[in-house]
Amino acid sequence: MTSTERGIAAAEAHSAHNYHPLPVVVATAEGAWMTDVAGRRYLDLLAGYSALNFGHGNRRLLDAARAQLERVTLTSRAFHHDRFGDFCTRLAELCGMELVLPMNTGAEAVETAIKTARKWGYQVKGVPDGRAKIIVADDNFHGRTTTIVSFSTDAEARADFGPYTPGFESVPYGDLAALAAAVDEHTVAVLLEPIQGEAGVLVPPAGYLPGVRKLTRDRDVLFIADEIQSGLGRTGRTFACEHEDVVPDVYVLGKALGGGVVPVSAVVSSREVLGVFAPGEHGSTFGGNPLACAVALEVIAMLRTGEFQQRATELGAHLHRELGPLAGGGAVDAVRGRGLWAGMDINPSRGSGRAVSERLLARGVLVKDTHGATIRIAPPLMISKADLDWGLDQLRHVLGI
Ligand SMILES: *Cc1c(COP(=O)(O)O)cnc(C)c1O
């Protein structure tokens, strides 16, 4: 048995099979590269679904984590700690908002946003108790908790996990008329990804997000933007909403906020909205812990310079110049995306998304398929142009272009 086979066999023997990983066993990583247990190197074009926007082993993030490890790592929110205030202040500033509610995983932050919207609906908007409705979009991905899968339209994510949480209605993504028709007097929020990541990097039609913004404002409904995957530099801006000059009422953040070091998520909004919480009504043992705050503070500092957004813009333009012309050429049916983020629908003649991912793996490139035919490309934002070009060469090779 090779070391790779041993690693895979050990994982399969005693882990629930809720994932279908590619057959590679990573041992170390640095920058945009991962090395497996056999010493083979791979270019990472997934970046932990955008959790690794700043690359593996980022010096600034590791130094911040290491320094904090030696000071204090966890207090619980029973006490104040000396990184918490700074973290909330800086994150609120980055978002142009007032208040921050920190959690750990993305799903927890989405749950928090749902609770926020419902409470705001009852306390501020005056919706009758128990009637609050939240509108979401078809093909959404907001996480894996029971409430969140209740409003998923993906059978795989949802089947056999009922009974489902009521209070949600799903409408086609990108269809403003359908959204407008769904809003009623009990609607407290519209929850959307400004670009749908797991669905295959679906960018809504121009004007959709501003339309949602106007509609929600006119109807006294909160616009909650789940920027867990699209935010924090990936699209070339701090937030994907910025491409259309839209400011939502609530940002939901995660993934890159923890720099790929620790899970950090947050809901960020105005005092009017997040101010609805009183002590004891919501929380998390680990949310806003000192280690998380120290790492996230460094992430925020890196985003404030704009250099990663700039890189995502420039390399993203290059990526789409390279990939765009492939669409319709026989191997690739469609290419979508924004910034350093692309979804490609592979023509069935070239195999499934999984098959293409496995062929890329064999050539030293890591990507992950989604929904059968689509592969997603989301390298760390610090990837060099030469490495990206090499990765694209491998992609063209496995597609027979
Ligand atoms: C990944 C993701 C989530 C869930 O985050 P977890 O940390 O996996 O719970 C929620 N929303 C979006 C848009 C995501 O991409």
Side-chain angles (χ1 to χ4, degrees), residues 61-353:
L61 296 178
L62 289 192
D63 287 347
R66 219 176 270 121
Q68 192 59 42
L69 278 172
E70 300 294 336
R71 296 178 73 233
V72 57
T73 51
L74 189 72
T75 55
S76 86
R77 295 285 306 281
F79 316 112
H80 291 282
H81 67 76
D82 65 2
R83 312 311 300 266
F84 188 72
D86 262 1
F87 163 70
C88 294
T89 306
R90 297 278 171 241
L91 185 57
E93 268 170 21
L94 186 77
C95 298
M97 296 279 181
E98 292 169 322
L99 299 186
V100 170
L101 201 167
M103 298 295 282
N104 310 284
T105 64
E108 286 176 302
V110 171
E111 288 275 351
T112 302
I114 291 166
K115 288 172 77 174
T116 304
R118 286 178 170 182
K119 200 163 173 65
W120 174 88
Y122 300 129
Q123 294 206 333
V124 179
K125 181 167 174 168
V127 172
D129 190 36
R131 303 292 297 277
K133 177 167 108 176
I134 295 176
I135 303 174
V136 298
D138 295 354
D139 300 321
N140 67 75
F141 183 85
H142 296 288
R144 300 292 197 172
T145 62
T146 38
T147 287
I148 294 172
V149 301
S150 293
F151 57 82
S152 172
T153 59
D154 176 0
E156 248 181 348
R158 190 172 190 276
D160 291 337
F161 298 124
Y164 302 108
T165 307
F168 300 93
E169 182 176 341
S170 189
V171 298
Y173 187 63
D175 183 341
L176 203 51
L179 182 63
V183 172
D184 62 23
E185 77 270 28
H186 299 143
T187 304
V188 296
V190 172
L191 166 63
L192 295 174
E193 300 156 83
I195 293 176
Q196 287 190 324
E198 297 305 300
V201 196
L202 302 187
V203 182
Y208 178 64
L209 296 175
V212 174
R213 177 64 286 187
K214 181 171 188 319
L215 175 71
T216 49
R217 189 172 282 135
D218 290 350
R219 303 291 299 272
D220 197 20
V221 167
L222 299 179
F223 181 3
I224 303 173
D226 179 347
E227 293 252 18
I228 290 171
Q229 194 165 161
S230 58
L232 309 185
R234 173 57 55 193
T235 68
R237 302 286 175 87
T238 305
F239 303 106
C241 284
E242 284 175 55
H243 289 281
E244 298 217 52
D245 295 317
V246 163
V247 179
D249 298 294
V250 179
Y251 285 116
V252 187
L253 304 176
K255 293 203 166 102
L257 190 56
V261 179
V262 281
V264 187
S265 68
V267 173
V268 189
S269 185
S270 64
R271 210 168 283 283
E272 181 204 304
V273 174
L274 266 180
V276 297
F277 285 112
E281 291 174 353
H282 188 59
S284 156
T285 304
F286 290 93
N289 71 72
L291 183 59
C293 288
V295 172
L297 271 166
E298 212 55 39
V299 165
I300 295 162
M302 290 196 287
L303 286 169
R304 280 164 67 100
T305 69
E307 80 186 89
F308 288 92
Q309 295 89 326
Q310 184 67 26
R311 258 196 102 63
T313 299
E314 287 166 14
L315 279 182
H318 177 65
L319 175 73
H320 288 283
R321 266 196 307 273
E322 295 286 313
L323 294 182
L326 305 184
V332 176
D333 291 339
V335 178
R336 299 168 296 273
R338 186 160 262 168
L340 201 48
W341 198 18
M344 300 176 78
D345 299 338
I346 306 298
N347 186 275
S349 66
R350 308 303 155 106
S352 64

